[in-house]
Amino acid sequence: MSSMLRYLAVSVGLLLTPAMAADAPAPDPTLVAKGLQFFNDAALSGSGNVSCATCHFSSGHTNNKTYVGLDVVADGNPDGRSTPTLWGAGERSVYGWGGTAPTLEESIRGIIVNRMKGAEPSKETLAALVAYVRSLPSPKNWQLNEDGTPSPAATPSVQRGFALFIGDGGCGTCHVLPSLDKSSRDDIGTGGRFKVPSLRAVVLTAPYFHDGRTASLRDAIKLMWGVYAKKMDTARTPTDAELDDLLAYVSAL
């Protein structure tokens, strides 16, 4: 990354600090394997027909569908909730579109009991499921450092996109590096206050926003630029070239 970009990152506090960089203990392989079994176990649901993998596949990624409860609905349904990826979910500070689950354990328990209508899971089952989900890393990209800043090998478009991300686009005010999310809930004019989602692997997680209203990542970026511009009371609009650069950076996350 260029010295100017690094300066910009430091100036807004986006670079990874040593404390944040400390690696968490590696999950126990035996517990992770047990968690994968539970992840695919439909017996955890009240109907015996659905499992965690129904919406997230065994890889923990999203199936790119929008749901009301366990029913698939059209993207953009105001009551719908877009299925997030679980890649990197162990790095979150709160969980769920409503941001109401303070721990991964409570989030998983809530999904089993409230959405899947299953029985109260045992502590052992929850521990295994948490271990499995924590074992799912976000994908790496050769153009980015571990903290999400561009590497020296990044294309000029990705580097320009990063400068916009932490600059005029205002993206970095909510999608804070290195997790690219924020624990608080924001109202961006889409029907309520929702947790700011992580942008890690975002290019693979369409449709976008809590209700899946936007199929195009470029359109989602353009919408959010407008939200930030309105908040800052500015008429600054992105050019097509700037949108292309922002898309290049965000797609590399």
Side-chain angles (χ1 to χ4, degrees):
M1 179 175 60
S2 70
S3 58
M4 177 57 71
L5 288 182
R6 187 165 292 279
Y7 169 77
L8 287 171
V10 171
S11 70
V12 293
L14 295 181
L15 284 181
L16 192 64
T17 64
M20 295 166 69
D23 292 332
D28 175 60
T30 302
L31 196 59
V32 170
K34 187 178 295 184
L36 176 57
Q37 291 179 338
F38 286 131
F39 199 81
N40 286 276
D41 189 356
L44 291 180
S45 69
S47 66
N49 295 321
V50 295
S51 69
C52 304
T54 299
C55 297
H56 295 284
F57 302 123
S58 294
S59 66
H61 193 43
T62 173
N63 65 354
N64 303 101
K65 294 180 180 179
T66 302
Y67 288 84
V68 172
L70 294 175
D71 297 325
V72 176
V73 297
D75 296 336
N77 184 309
D79 296 320
R81 294 296 179 266
S82 176
T83 305
T85 182
L86 295 182
W87 294 348
E91 302 169 8
R92 310 285 174 261
S93 51
V94 296
Y95 296 86
W97 278 110
T100 56
T103 67
L104 182 55
E105 182 178 61
E106 290 184 57
S107 177
I108 293 173
R109 178 206 167 271
I111 293 293
I112 292 173
V113 174
N114 299 322
R115 178 167 293 187
M116 295 167 59
K117 306 301 182 184
E120 190 72 38
S122 69
K123 291 184 178 180
E124 292 75 18
T125 297
L126 281 178
L129 282 167
V130 167
Y132 172 64
V133 173
R134 287 193 182 280
S135 75
L136 301 170
S138 296
K140 308 299 180 185
N141 187 293
W142 61 272
Q143 298 196 78
L144 302 182
N145 298 312
E146 290 289 331
D147 61 0
T149 57
S151 71
T155 65
S157 184
V158 166
Q159 296 198 34
R160 290 192 303 266
F162 175 70
L164 288 165
F165 188 90
I166 63 172
D168 285 357
C171 316
T173 61
C174 291
H175 297 284
V176 183
L177 276 70
S179 64
L180 278 300
D181 73 340
K182 189 173 70 171
S183 60
S184 62
R185 298 182 301 154
D186 284 353
D187 185 347
I188 60 171
T190 57
R193 295 173 61 84
F194 298 95
K195 181 192 174 299
V196 177
S198 174
L199 295 184
R200 294 287 185 178
V202 69
V203 72
L204 301 175
T205 62
Y208 301 104
F209 302 106
H210 73 279
D211 54 5
R213 64 177 57 204
T214 304
S216 161
L217 181 54
R218 195 176 196 274
D219 288 346
I221 292 170
K222 186 175 182 179
L223 186 154
M224 287 308 303
W225 183 298
V227 170
Y228 180 72
K230 183 177 181 180
K231 180 179 179 180
M232 301 304 292
D233 194 22
T234 175
R236 167 89 158 89
T237 57
T239 66
D240 285 343
E242 287 175 326
L243 284 175
D244 289 342
D245 288 339
L246 266 172
L247 180 62
Y249 171 67
V250 173
S251 296
L253 291 170

